[in-house]
Amino acid sequence: MIKAILIFNNHGKPRLSKFYEHYTEDTEQQIIRETFHLVSKRDENVCNFLEGGLLIGGSDNKLIYRHYATLYFVFCVDSSESELGILDLIQVFVETLDKCFENVCELDLIFHMDKVHNILAEMVMGGMVLETNMSEIITQAEAQSKMEKSEICAFLSLCRPLSFSVPDRTGRRRPGLLELQHAPYRPSRT
Amino acid sequence: MALKIVKGSIDRMFDKNLQDLVRGIRNHKEDEAKYISTCIDEIKQELKQDNIAVKANAVCKLTYLQMLGYDVSWAAFNIVEVMSSSKFTYKRIGYLAASQCFHEGTDVIMLTTNQIRKDLSSPNQYDTGVALTGLSCFVTPDLARDLANDIMTLMSHTKPYIRKKAVLIMYKVFLKYPESLRPAFPRLKEKLEDPDPGVQSAAVNVICELARRNPKNYLSLAPLFFKLMTSSTNNWVLIKIIKLFGALTPLEPRLGKKLIEPLTNLIHSTSAMSLLYECVNTVIAVLISLSSGMPNHSASIQLCVQKLRILIEDSDQNLKYLGLLAMSKILKTHPKSVQSHKDLILQCLDDKDESIRLRALDLLYGMVSKKNLMEIVKKLMLHVDKAEGTTYRDELLTKIIDICSQSNYQYITNFEWYISILVELTRLEGTRHGHLIASQMLDVAIRVKAIRAFAVAQMATLLDNAHLLTGNTQRNGICEVLYAAAWICGEFAEHLEDPMLTLEAMLRPKVATLPGHIQAVYVQNAAKLFATVLQKHEGETDSQAAQETSQLLIDRLPLFVQSANLEVQERASCILQLVKYIQKLQQKNVEVAEEVTALFAGELNPVAPKAQKKVPIPEGLDLDAWINEPPSESESEDEKPKAVFAKEEPKHSRSRHTEVDEKELARRREARKQEQANNPFYIKASPSSQKVYDAPGVEHIPVVQIDLSVPLKVPGMPMSDQYVKLEEERRQKEKADKKKKEKKKKREKRGKGRKGDSGPESEEDITPAHHVDIVTEEMPENALPSDDDDKDPNDPHKALDIDLDKPLADSEKLPVRTHRPEVLKSPAEDRDDNTIPQETKKKSSKDKKEKKKDKEKDRKRSKEDKKKKKKHKDVEEELPESLPEEVVQSEETKEVAVPPTSADASDLDFWLSSAPVPPVAQVVTVSSSAAAATVDSSSAAAAESEPEELKDTEPDDTKSSKHKKKKQKKEKEEKEKKKKKRHHHHHHHHSDAGAEDSVQNGTVEDEEPLPPMSNYSLLAENSYIKMVCDIQGNHQDESKVVVSVIFENKSDSFLKSMEFNVLDSLNSKLQRPDGAGPHDGLTVPFQLPPGVSNEARFVFSVQSIVMPQKLKGTLTFIVKTDESSTHEKLDFKLHFTCTSYLITTPCYSDAYAKLLESGDLKGSSLRLEGVNMPFHHLLARICFHHHFSVVERIDSCASMYSRSIQGHHVCLLVKSSDQTVSIDAKCDEPSLLGNVLDEIKQTFSKC
C-alpha cells in the first residue's frame, strides 16, 4: 500500500499532497515538514530509500523518493510495495506529467494542482497502484480533459477561455523537470 | 433564466479562479496568512451563490488551501453539492475535494450514499470512475455496506477501465465492511483471469494485499498464482505475486519447493532489477521456510548470495541498499553464507549513505564471532565518536549492545572489556538509550559473578562522577545508568574498596536533582552501603568511623525525606529512622552490624522477563474478587513498582567527561606512569577521546577515562581498546602455551581463575578470560507455556481473517438496496446474488423420484445378493486381502515420509504434492506403474478374447461344466480387477513422496474391511428370467462400451433361443455382426437350464459420451417345459450412465498436478451430507462404482482420477469431515462432469 504521495520543492513548499489515510490538516503539514527535513538533507548520490519517518505508519513504512530539478517526489509505502517498482512508478508519473503538460516544470504543478491530482488518480487509487502503463494513463486523462473542455465551452463560451498553460512571463524557455533531473534515471525494469 | 445564467457567468468573470489564487498567494509572500483569510472570505461568499460553476470554482480553491494546511471541513456540505452536479467537470472537482478532506468523522458523508450510487451506475464511464476514485479515499463502514453490492456489480462491467477501479476499491470495502469479503471473493478470484491486464493486475493487487495480512486463508489460491506467475509477462503483476509467495511459503514449505525452480529461472532470465530482487527475496523466504535439511538447496543460497553481492557492489546506491536488506534476511538462517562476504559489509559501514550504514549494521549482528567481536565493536565505537546525528548514534549504540549481548553473551570472552565498553557508552550525549546501557550493566553484574568486583569498581567511579552524567541539560536519558550503578554498588558492596567514599557520593545534595526512581534506588542502596561500612568497622576498638557514617546519613537523608517523590520520601524516612536508632545503639556500644546486614542478606537472582506472566494461578484463587470490600480511593497504594525503569523522563545531563578531581588525578598519574611502560596503547586512547569531547569550558579537564580507584590486576587502564590488544596478546600466549603443553590447559593470566566457558567453545578455540558463570534467568515452578499473542487487536486486517473456502451461507449475502435500507434481510430478491456460488439445495423432484427408484432397486438387489452369494464371496475375500499389502507398501515409503499437514487439505495439497519426488521413490513409481500397465493390458486382452470364446460356444448339453468354466473365468476377471486396483494403491503409495502416507501408516490397520460391492445392477426381471448388467468402457476403442449381462434362469424350465435386441438411438448403437439389419436382435450364445445363470457381452458404439442415455430393449426367449414351449419376452431399459464411459486409469501425482495447473479443466463441486461411512470405504466406492483411481490420499482428503473412453480427464478432490463429504471436481467437459457428479451423488444417496 502507498500511504501518501507528496510533492514539494527544494524549500519544502508543498506542491501536491495525497494522503491515503486520514490525518488532520496539522498532522499533514507536520508530516510534510518532517519528510522534507529527512529528504532534503540527503546528498544527491545516496540511495532513494529512507526509513524512520516517524509520523506515518511506523517501522513497516519507507519513504521512497526522487529528486527532479526543483521538486521532490516522495512516496510513503509499506512493505508490500517493491522498492524498485515504486521508483519506476515515480518515473512513470513524472514522465506522464511531462507529456500532459508538455515539458513539465514546477510552475505547472503550482498552478494546476487539480490536474496533477487527476493524473495521479489514474495511476494510484486509494493507495494501490491502478495503472502503470503510461499511454493508458495519458489516454484516460486526456479523454477526461476533453470532456471537461467540451462542457466548459458549451456552457461558458461567454467567459474568458480557461488557460491551461501557464503564461511564460519571462519569455525564457522553461527547463523541464526531466531535463534538470540530477541523477540520470536508470530504468530498472524493461 | 437565460439572463440568470449570463449574470452568473459575468459574476464569475470577476471571481478568482485557482490560478489567480495561487498567483495571489505568491505575490503576497509577506502577509500570506492575511491574504488567504480574505480569500477564504471570498470563497464563503461564492459558496453562498446558486451558480454551481461558482461553487465548483470555490471548492477547487479550497482544495488548494487544504493542501496548505487550512481546515476546510466547514465547506463539506458545499463539496457534496458540487459532487452532485450533473457536469463531469464540477463533479470531478467535488470528488477531488471530498477525497482530500472527507473522513469517517465527516457527518455529511451519509448524504452522499445515493449520489454515489447514481454516479456508479452512470452511463458515462468517467462519472463512475471519478466516483470510484473519490470513494476509495473516503469510504466509511456505512458507505461500504450500502455500496458493496453496487461495486460488486461493477466488477463485471463491460469497460475494463471501470472493472479495474471496481476491483481495486473492493479492498477498501473489505477493510471497512469485512462481511463483504466472502460474498465478493469468488468474483474477485475470477478477475485474476480477466482478459484485460489492468484488471488482472488490480485483482492481483487486492488479493496480495489481503493475503499479506492473513496469508493462511489464501493458500488455496497458490496454484492459480503459480499459473499466473509462469504465464504473466507484466512485471508489476509478477512482482506482486512473487512478493505474495514470499508471504505464503512460511505457511507451506511444500509450496517453497515448487517455487524454487521457476524463481531460479526468473533470476537467471530477467533483466529487470526489480523483478530479480523480488525473486531473490522470495527464494530467501523459501529457504528460510524449508528446514536446513535440504542439502540440495545450498545452490540456491549461493545463487542468492551471489546476486546480492552483485547488487551490493553496484554503484547504484539503491541496489546496494536493497542488497544489504535482503542479505540480512539470509543471515538469520544461513549465517555462514553471508559471513564469507564480511569484507563487503564492513566496507559498507563506511559508506557515506546513512541508510546503507544502518543496513550494514543489521548484518554485523550475524558476522561476529569470539574472534572478531572486539575488533568489530572497536570499529563501531569509532563510528559512535564520528556520528553526527543522534538517530544514527543511538542506532549504533543499540547495535553494539545487541551484538555483544546476543545469545547470552556468547561471543564475549572478556567481560571486563564489555563493562568498559558500556562505561564508555555512557559518555554519549543525548542518547535515548540510557536505560538500555543500564540494564546491560545490571544484567552482566548479576549474571557474571566473576566480573562483579570489576563492575562494582567501575560503577563506583561512575557514581563518583555522577555530576558529569547528569550535567545541566534536560535532554538525555543517560542518567539511567546511575540507577544501575547505584544498585550494583549497593548490592555487591562487599567488593567495594572504599564503601565510605561511594556512600558519600550517593548522598550528595546534587542527587536530589535526579529523577525520582533513581533517587529511590540511591537511598535504598545507601542503606546497603551503610550496612557494609558498619560490618567493616565491626570489631574495631574505635567505633569512630562507624559513628561518622551514621552521622553522615542522618545529616544527608532529610534532604530526601523532603522529596516530592513518594517512593523516595518513604524510603528515606524509613531509613533515617533506622539509622537514628542504630546511632543510639552505637552510642551504647552495642554491636549492630550483623543485624543491619541481615536486612539486606540473601542473593538476588535474575528473573526471566516473562516469569511473572507464567506463574500459574493457583486453583481456587479468584484474582478479581475483593479481598476486603473496596476502601476509599485515597487508601490505594501509591507505590509504582514498575515506574522504576519504564518511565522515560527528560533527564538532566551534560556531556560525559571523565573528570577526576585533582588529588585523585595526581595519584593516578603516578600509577599510570608506572604502567605506561607495559602499556603502549594508553597514548593511543586519549587523543581520540579528546577530539570528540571538546565542549567549551571543559578543555582543561584531563580526558582520562581511567579513574579506577580499585587496584586492578590488569596492567594498564580499563579502556576497551586496550582490552582488544590485551586480549590478542592473551590469545596468542594461550596459543603458544597450548602448543607447548599440548593438552594441559593452563590459563593464568591476570590471576583470575579461568576455566573453560560453560558453553561450547568456538571453532577458533578461544578461551574466555573469565570464568563465565552465567546465571540463568529464573522461572517460576510449573510455569505455563506462554502463547503470547502479539497481534494488535486494533489492526483492521484482523477482521478480514476470514475463511474463504467455506461455502457461503444465505445470511452472508451482500446487503442490497431495498426500499428501506435498514431492513437488510431480504437479499434473495437480488439477481446479482444468484451469481454468487452458494450451497445450492437442488433437490428437485426428479432426484427424489430417482431416489425412490434406487431404493427399490436396492431392495431387489439385496435379494439378488443372497442368491449370488458365491460370487460375492470372492469379492469379500479379495478386499481384506488387499489391505495388509497396502500396509506393507506404505511402510516401504516411510523413509521419505514428511509430517502431514492440517486436515483441511484441499486442491492445494494435490497441487503441492507434485513437488519434486525424491529419486528413490520415483524409481519405485515407475516400476509399479509398469506393473500396473502390464496387468492392464493382460486384462484387456482377456476381455477381448472373451467375446470370441462366446461366439465359439455352441449350445451344448454339458451346460453345467460350461457354466463352471464361465464362472471360473468370471472369478479370474474379478481378481484381475482387484489386482489392478491394488496396483493403483501401490502407485498411490509410491508416487506422492510418502508425504501423506505417514498418516495412513497409523490408520490403515484400524480401518474396517470394505463391505462387498457390486457394479451389476438390475436390468429387468420377470418370473422366468432375471437380467443384471454392468456397463464398462472399452479400453481399446474410444467409442465402444461393453455391456455384460448376466442372465439367470429363475424358473424350473429350460430357457433357450434367447435373443437380445436394443432399439438403437442416434448416439448409441448395438454392434451387430456384419450383414445383420439395424433392427435384428443378437442371439445370446447359450441356453439356461433351471436355476443357472450365465453372462453374455454386448458391444455398443457410442458417439457422444457427455450425457447419460437410456436405450430400450427386449429379450425374447423360449421357455421349454417338458410339455410345451412358449415364447416369452422381457422389456428392459439399458441405462448408459456417464460413469460407464469412464475407465479406471492410473495417474501419477506429478502428471496430475500438471493437468490441474494447465487450466484447461472446468470445475464443479458436489456436497454430500450425512455420509456415514469410513473415508476409505467412500473412496473404495467411488473407485469401484465410478471407475476412479486414487492419486493420493491425505487424512480425510483424496485426489482421484479417471479418464473417459474418449480421453476426457476427470479429477476429483474428495474431502470428508464429520458426515459431510465435499467433492470438488474438474474435467475438460463440464456436462460430462456434471453428470458424473450426479451419479456419484446417487451412489451415496443409496448408502
Side-chain angles (χ1 to χ4, degrees), chain B residues 676-867:
Chain B
Q676 269 182 358
N678 318 346
N679 180 15
F681 312 108
Y682 166 70
I683 299 157
K684 230 177 173 177
S686 61
S688 84
S689 26
Q690 212 147 23
K691 190 175 67 200
V692 184
Y693 301 100
D694 52 357
V698 287
E699 278 99 321
H700 68 281
I701 301 166
V703 194
V704 186
Q705 195 54 35
I706 349 81
D707 33 20
L708 282 180
S709 44
V710 198
L712 276 174
K713 282 157 196 167
V714 187
M717 305 305 176
M719 283 294 289
S720 57
D721 280 6
Q722 292 171 306
Y723 280 106
V724 178
K725 307 288 177 187
L726 283 172
E727 184 70 15
E728 245 161 53
E729 282 171 14
R730 185 180 71 86
R731 286 180 194 170
Q732 261 165 17
K733 196 166 174 192
E734 221 159 63
K735 242 186 202 169
D737 280 0
K738 245 188 187 169
K739 267 182 193 168
K740 271 186 209 164
K741 306 167 189 177
E742 281 267 323
K743 280 183 185 171
K744 223 181 181 181
K745 285 192 182 174
K746 203 179 173 188
R747 300 174 206 91
E748 44 172 62
K749 290 215 125 175
R750 272 180 254 155
K752 301 219 170 189
R754 275 182 242 114
K755 281 168 198 167
D757 192 351
S758 50
E761 295 222 344
S762 73
E763 65 284 1
E764 295 106 354
D765 208 18
I766 295 167
T767 40
H770 299 273
H771 169 67
V772 185
D773 171 27
I774 295 182
V775 187
T776 46
E777 292 167 326
E778 283 192 340
M779 284 292 253
E781 280 171 52
N782 38 343
L784 300 166
S786 77
D787 39 84
D788 296 339
D789 197 2
D790 296 330
K791 273 193 177 171
D792 177 11
N794 298 324
D795 184 7
H797 297 278
K798 223 180 167 185
L800 288 180
D801 189 359
I802 295 167
D803 183 5
L804 296 163
D805 297 326
K806 254 189 344 207
L808 277 177
D810 274 354
S811 58
E812 281 186 292
K813 286 171 186 172
L814 282 181
V816 186
R817 182 161 49 138
T818 49
H819 190 57
R820 252 174 262 157
E822 285 79 16
V823 189
L824 293 168
K825 280 167 191 168
S826 57
E829 301 156 23
D830 194 70
R831 276 171 294 125
D832 228 71
D833 286 15
N834 297 339
T835 60
I836 304 165
Q838 298 163 20
E839 179 52 25
T840 48
K841 298 167 194 167
K842 297 191 253 178
K843 274 190 181 165
S844 65
S845 56
K846 189 183 153 202
D847 279 15
K848 273 181 200 159
K849 238 189 260 167
E850 256 164 359
K851 238 187 190 170
K852 249 185 222 165
K853 236 199 238 165
D854 288 337
K855 260 184 205 161
E856 262 174 0
K857 260 188 201 167
D858 242 20
R859 235 177 286 137
K860 279 181 193 166
R861 203 172 59 177
S862 63
K863 236 196 273 171
E864 169 199 53
D865 279 351
K866 268 177 219 155
K867 286 187 181 170

Side-chain angles (χ1 to χ4, degrees), chain A residues 17-18 22 29 47-49 51 78-80 111 118 122 126 129 131-132 140 147 151 188-189, chain B residues 19 67 88-89 92 99-100 103 124 126 161 164 172 205 212 236 243 272-274 318 321 353 359:
Chain A
S17 66
K18 182 88 214 169
H22 176 70
Q29 294 303 309
C47 73
N48 298 99
F49 315 119
E51 289 151 77
D78 68 14
S79 61
S80 74
F111 286 104
N118 294 337
E122 296 303 320
V129 180
E131 185 59 70
T132 53
Q140 301 297 352
M147 224 170 95
E151 281 181 1
S188 60
R189 293 142 53 85
Chain B
Q19 281 75 37
M67 181 184 76
F88 171 72
T89 316
R92 185 158 75 161
S99 74
Q100 291 294 86
H103 53 93
N124 181 343
Y126 292 116
Y161 179 75
K164 72 181 177 191
K172 293 274 172 169
N205 221 328
R212 201 168 69 92
W236 270 98
K243 264 186 164 296
M273 273 301 179
S274 46
N318 292 332
Y321 171 86
D353 191 344
R359 292 281 73 83

Side-chain angles (χ1 to χ4, degrees), chain B residues 383-384 387 389-398 428-431:
Chain B
H383 279 283
V384 171
T390 47
T391 350
Y392 179 57
R393 216 175 42 186
D394 278 0
E395 192 64 28
L396 276 169
L397 188 154
T398 46
L428 281 186
E429 266 180 84
T431 180

Side-chain angles (χ1 to χ4, degrees), chain B residues 204-219:
Chain B
V204 169
N205 221 328
V206 171
I207 292 185
C208 287
E209 205 60 53
L210 289 169
R212 201 168 69 92
R213 309 292 183 152
N214 300 300
K216 64 176 189 313
N217 299 337
Y218 299 86
L219 261 179

Side-chain angles (χ1 to χ4, degrees), chain B residues 64-65 124 149 165 171 247 303 329 388 413 425 831 858 985-986 1028 1055 1068 1104 1156 1215 1222 1230:
Chain B
Y64 183 80
L65 293 178
N124 181 343
N149 198 49
K165 286 197 169 193
Y171 177 65
L303 177 70
K329 289 177 192 156
E388 59 277 13
T413 52
L425 286 174
R831 276 171 294 125
D858 242 20
H985 275 289
H986 299 179
V1028 290
L1055 304 183
S1068 315
S1104 163
L1156 283 175
K1215 277 180 280 188
S1222 69

